[in-house]
């Protein structure tokens, strides 16, 4: 019985150094979660995954977050669409294929666990962390599409982790920063948030990830990740779930601020979790502190050795079911998947209001944020220069006006210089665009303008301009926008 096997850890960079290899071998953790900093050229990342497994010395789970849309860790292969776009289409088979597309890009490298998809019901459109990661606001649709997505992934050998149980869709607090509270009754949760997760249990999906959220009407004392009432009593005993329960990252402040230095790991395992995700962001000592806390708890009888044995057995069973044998992702299949993703982007693209036509040979002013801020799970965003690069082949006389969300003086100057130009106002921010951009939108009322809502679709309603809404900013969505603007 090795408590380290219950911990999923992270690594600092794209290669496993000899020192890091000895560290993994010494402790034999249950697996590793890779982030964007670890994933580079395919050959290099495949070598990293192989080195991790060799160092751990057992069938290990190697994980990442390849959700689609804005949460992607591998970018050099076709991207699955945003769940929000799939939800707009309501196409179960498209959702299943999205899971396959995500899986093909991971299993090629030997990655056998994807912390996706989100089964959160997007109850609150101002939710700061879910948004386009959700299949929508209808729990029936989220359940049907989310389960299909996960099944598509698992049929190609990549274990899914549906998240964030028991639901992160009705909060205005980001659990990366603070502890959200969802004060709903059991009946309310059964009707909305729990419906997709019940479907996941019925479908025997391989793993479920917990939410760092307090549900006081179910357990007033513990966030869900640490709650025996939610993990053991509800998920295991009442619903009969037999797969892996994995925590969200324990460095998130919703848990880390209250249960530091491994205390949260002990409570999560005691509550019924099998795998604790420990992220040190390059600091391997954090993994040691968590392991030592678990070991002390077992020695003191605070955490039973039987619970640890049970958790390790659950992870070993998952690793046998999803062994992570690399499978080639051929150029022909990538081309097919890329074309499929572009088709989904075209089908899900939709308009708001009466959109004026644009002359491809005329002057077009593109207004865009220089580089929107990131937060929570988001690894990258779309900057104005990159967007202009995608649009220029279709609009060779494109002029670019960049701003930082507050200072729009360069925008005002360029608009004065080009009084007859058509205008593309792009919003590439996930969060609020700010009062300066809202005021600009009001001032553009009399001009030929199209709003490109390239991340948060709710901004289109807020600004009230004729809009194209993409549900994402990846290459497939940009190709769809160009096609629609020039049609």
């Amino acid at each position: 019985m090795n408590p380290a096997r219950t911990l999923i850890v992270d690594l600092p960079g794209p290669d496993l150094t000899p020192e890091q290899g000895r560290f993994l071998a010494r402790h034999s953790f249950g697996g590793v979660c890779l982030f964007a900093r670890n994933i580079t050229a395919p050959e290099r990342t495949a070598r990293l995954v192989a080195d991790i497994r060799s160092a751990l010395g057992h069938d290990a789970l190697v994980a990442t977050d390849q959700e689609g849309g804005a949460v992607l860790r591998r970018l050099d292969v076709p991207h699955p669409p945003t769940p929000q776009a799939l939800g707009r289409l309501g196409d179960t088979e498209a959702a299943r294929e999205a899971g396959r597309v995500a899986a093909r890009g991971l299993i090629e490298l030997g990655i056998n666990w994807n912390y996706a998809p989100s089964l959160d019901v997007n109850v609150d459109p101002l939710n700061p962390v879910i948004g386009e990661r959700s299949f929508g606001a209808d729990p029936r649709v989220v359940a049907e599409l989310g389960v299909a997505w996960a099944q598509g992934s698992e049929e190609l050998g990549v274990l899914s982790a549906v998240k964030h149980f028991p639901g992160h869709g009705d909060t205005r607090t980001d659990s990366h920063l603070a502890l959200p509270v969802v004060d709903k009754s059991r009946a309310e949760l059964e009707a909305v948030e729990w419906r997709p997760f019940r479907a996941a249990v019925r479908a025997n999906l391989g793993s479920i990830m917990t939410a760092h959220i307090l549900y006081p009407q179910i357990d007033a004392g513990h966030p869900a990740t640490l709650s025996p009432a939610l993990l053991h009593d509800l998920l295991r005993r009442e619903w009969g779930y037999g797969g892996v329960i994995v925590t969200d990252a324990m460095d998130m402040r919703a848990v880390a601020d209250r249960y530091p230095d491994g205390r949260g790991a002990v409570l999560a395992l005691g509550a019924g979790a099998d795998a604790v995700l420990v992220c040190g962001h390059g600091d391997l000592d954090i993994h040691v502190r968590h392991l030592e806390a678990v070991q002390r708890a077992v020695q003191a009888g605070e955490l039973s050795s039987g619970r640890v044995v049970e958790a390790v057995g659950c992870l070993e069973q998952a690793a046998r079911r999803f062994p992570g044998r690399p499978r080639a992702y051929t150029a022909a299949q990538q081309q097919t998947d890329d074309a499929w993703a572009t088709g989904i982007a075209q089908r899900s693209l939709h308009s708001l209001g009466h959109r004026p036509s644009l002359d491809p040979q005329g002057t077009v002013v593109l207004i865009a944020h220089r580089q929107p801020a990131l937060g929570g799970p988001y690894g990258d965003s779309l900057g104005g220069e990159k967007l202009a690069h995608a649009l220029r082949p279709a609009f060779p006389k494109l002029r670019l006006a960049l701003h930082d969300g507050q200072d729009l003086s360069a925008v005002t100057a360029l608009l004065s210089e080009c009084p007859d130009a058509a205008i593309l106002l792009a919003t590439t921010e996930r969060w609020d665009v700010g009062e300066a951009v809202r005021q600009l939108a009001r001032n553009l009322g009399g001009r030929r303008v199209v709003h490109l809502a390239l991340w948060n679709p709710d901004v289109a309603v807020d600004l009230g301009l004729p809009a194209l809404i993409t549900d994402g900013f990846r290459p497939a969505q940009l190709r769809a926008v160009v096609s629609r603007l020039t049609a």
Side-chain angles (χ1 to χ4, degrees), residues 392-460:
R392 276 202 178 95
F395 298 99
K397 295 182 181 178
L398 186 81
R399 304 284 301 276
L400 176 60
L402 296 173
H403 64 85
D404 62 3
Q406 297 178 338
D407 181 5
L408 271 64
S409 56
V411 173
T412 303
L414 187 55
L415 290 176
S416 298
E417 184 183 330
C418 307
D420 299 321
I423 299 167
L424 294 174
L425 173 60
T427 55
T428 56
E429 299 88 345
R430 170 67 185 88
W431 296 278
D432 184 23
V433 296
E435 181 54 33
V437 173
R438 283 195 292 272
Q439 183 59 52
L440 172 65
R442 290 190 287 269
N443 294 341
L444 292 176
R447 298 192 60 164
R448 215 161 18 113
V449 58
V450 178
H451 173 199
L452 303 181
L454 296 172
W455 193 343
N456 185 344
D458 299 307
V459 177

Side-chain angles (χ1 to χ4, degrees), residues 10 19 23 26-27 29 261 278 280-292:
D10 68 341
E19 179 185 1
F23 175 80
R26 183 162 62 251
H27 297 295
F29 295 105
D261 295 325
V278 183
H281 304 279
D283 183 359
L284 300 183
D285 288 340
I286 289 176
H287 308 326
V288 175
R289 290 201 296 274
H290 278 73
L291 175 56
E292 290 175 344

Side-chain angles (χ1 to χ4, degrees), residues 50 55 60 104 125 127 146 151 159 173 203 224 239 241 246 267 290 295 313-314 327 350 362 375 395 402 417 456 464:
R104 280 192 277 265
N127 189 310
Q151 289 172 329
L159 171 65
T173 301
W239 291 4
Y241 182 60
V246 58
L267 293 174
H290 278 73
Q295 290 171 330
C314 195
R327 187 180 307 167
H350 59 291
F395 298 99
L402 296 173
E417 184 183 330
N456 185 344

Side-chain angles (χ1 to χ4, degrees), residues 292-305:
E292 290 175 344
V294 174
Q295 290 171 330
R296 286 193 302 270
V298 172
Q299 291 164 2
E302 180 185 353
L303 177 65
S304 74
S305 59

Side-chain angles (χ1 to χ4, degrees), residues 208-226:
I208 293 177
M209 176 177 279
T210 66
H212 300 330
I213 298 177
L214 187 69
Y215 300 80
Q217 296 192 45
I218 309 299
D219 184 341
H222 304 92
T225 295
L226 315 179

Side-chain angles (χ1 to χ4, degrees), residues 19-54:
E19 179 185 1
Q20 293 161 10
R22 289 190 293 271
F23 175 80
L24 294 182
R26 183 162 62 251
H27 297 295
S28 192
F29 295 105
V32 171
C33 180
L34 303 181
F35 292 89
R37 65 179 179 270
N38 308 116
I39 298 176
T40 53
E43 300 82 4
R44 188 177 185 184
T45 306
R47 184 172 63 250
L48 170 65
V49 172
D51 289 347
I52 288 169
R53 288 212 168 91
S54 177

Side-chain angles (χ1 to χ4, degrees), residues 56-81:
L56 290 175
H58 61 85
D59 292 335
L61 293 165
V62 179
T64 195
D65 299 271
Q66 191 80 350
E67 296 181 19
V71 181
L72 291 171
R73 304 302 182 226
R74 184 177 184 189
L75 296 174
D76 65 317
V77 287
H79 305 152

